[in-house]
Amino acid sequence: MTAMQYFWRHPLAEQVREEGRAQAKGEMILRILEWRSIPVPDDVRERVEACTDLDKLEEWAQRAVHAADAAELFVDE
């Protein structure tokens, strides 16, 4: 039991969790755009899927709710 508890505190396990959170958040951004019937070009999809910065993804998610175009996710960049 101790070895299993140690694994979840290991930096590799944290990295895997962070990557999973980033992937899920990226998928949600793309879903929001699709639900809103906003076309998502391949370059936008690739940029969202490649991003691992959770703060940046959160910012993009908020923009996705109000955007009229998928490129508006990246307005200030």
Side-chain angles (χ1 to χ4, degrees), residues 11 33 37 47 56-57 60 67:
L33 294 171
S37 300
R47 187 168 175 185
K56 180 66 63 185
L57 289 165
W60 292 349

Side-chain angles (χ1 to χ4, degrees), residues 4-31:
M4 185 60 102
Q5 290 175 354
Y6 171 76
F7 173 76
W8 293 112
R9 287 186 236 142
H10 191 276
L12 179 60
E14 181 58 32
Q15 179 183 354
V16 170
R17 284 192 295 274
E18 287 291 316
E19 289 172 2
R21 284 191 281 267
Q23 181 181 4
K25 195 165 282 210
E27 289 171 0
M28 181 55 65
I29 291 166
L30 297 174
R31 261 190 243 123

Side-chain angles (χ1 to χ4, degrees), residues 6-73:
Y6 171 76
F7 173 76
W8 293 112
R9 287 186 236 142
H10 191 276
L12 179 60
E14 181 58 32
Q15 179 183 354
V16 170
R17 284 192 295 274
E18 287 291 316
E19 289 172 2
R21 284 191 281 267
Q23 181 181 4
K25 195 165 282 210
E27 289 171 0
M28 181 55 65
I29 291 166
L30 297 174
R31 261 190 243 123
I32 289 169
L33 294 171
E34 290 169 3
W35 289 335
R36 297 187 60 230
S37 300
I38 296 174
V40 180
D42 289 340
D43 62 325
V44 170
R45 181 176 303 280
E46 290 168 6
R47 187 168 175 185
V48 170
E49 289 174 345
C51 185
T52 58
D53 181 339
L54 291 173
D55 292 332
K56 180 66 63 185
L57 289 165
E58 179 65 28
E59 184 180 325
W60 292 349
Q62 291 174 10
R63 290 180 184 172
V65 173
H66 302 288
D69 181 82
E72 288 182 26
L73 296 179

